[in-house]
Amino acid sequence: MKTNTQLRYASNPQDVNNYDTDRIRQEYLIQKLFIPEQVNMTYSLFDRMIIGGAMPIEENLTLETIDYLKSNYFLERREIGIYNVGGAGIIDIDGKQYNLDYKEAIYIGMGAKKVVFISREKANPSKFYFNSTPAHISYPIQKVLKANAISVTMGSLETSNERTINKMIVNQILKTCQLQMGMTELKQGSVWNTFPPHTHTRRMEAYFYFELPEDNAICHFMGEPTQTKHIWLENEQAVISPEWSIHSACGTHNYTFIWGMAGENLDYGDQDFFKATELR
């Protein structure tokens, strides 16, 4: 099969408090995003976000509709944001091609009928990471570079969390229905992200971690602030973060992650913060 899909149900935090490690990983961890010649998707019932990856090598891969959507084509009632985290690639949208190099992104609005993932070099294939959310209006296609991003440096080396937040597919740069995406790069020597932690019950989120060297790992913290859980991740894995959950992490090496949000509002600053001393 060229397209593989799995479904993840939404969960009640009171139930999650009783989950063991295996169950938490089963519900929230996405272990395999990039398999050669495949498109892999996880359909989450948290705000119906789809988290996926495509890795074309010898063949071009089409973004096909899936049974859960009951649609004629994937973007019939959806929008999508795509990042390239591999070799130089091309996104073909209804016959028009857009080059997408490493760490470049593109937004595609509702109504695009055929999206094709293409690698420019077989020896260095592209890896396309994407988030897709329901949409109600068709907004224009727009490619976004880091140079176009709203970039903010936060934290410090003294607190091990110096990082640059690149807001790329956000409402200050382009119009979307609900999807918001960006990329956070940790400086060398820094390993903590999203600290102090917060929740935002108006939006769920997905984190995709990459640029983590081999034999290193990231511990992602989730759960209600007074009932925290953790998930250990490897390079190029993702995690689903419910609206009621904190979402921060600490790695054994600095790394980069792509965040994607879906939900009721588009306000990046809509966050309910918690002090580190309040966590349990």
Side-chain angles (χ1 to χ4, degrees), residues 21 25 29-31 184-186 190-194 207-222 229-239 247-258:
T21 298
R25 293 174 67 84
L29 175 63
I30 302 173
Q31 297 191 61
T184 299
E185 300 167 302
L186 274 73
S190 289
V191 292
W192 278 99
N193 77 66
T194 320
Y207 272 20
F208 166 70
Y209 294 96
F210 68 112
E211 291 194 323
L212 182 71
E214 188 176 358
D215 297 326
N216 282 270
I218 292 170
C219 188
H220 179 93
F221 297 94
M222 63 162 293
K229 308 290 184 182
H230 69 271
I231 302 174
W232 284 98
L233 298 96
E234 299 174 19
N235 188 46
E236 295 184 347
Q237 293 185 340
V239 64
H247 34 284
S248 65
C250 185
T252 57
H253 191 282
N254 64 303
Y255 50 89
T256 300
F257 68 97
I258 294 170

Side-chain angles (χ1 to χ4, degrees), residues 41-53:
M41 305 184 203
T42 297
Y43 185 109
S44 171
L45 291 182
F46 285 110
D47 286 307
R48 299 188 180 275
M49 178 186 278
I50 293 176
I51 302 108

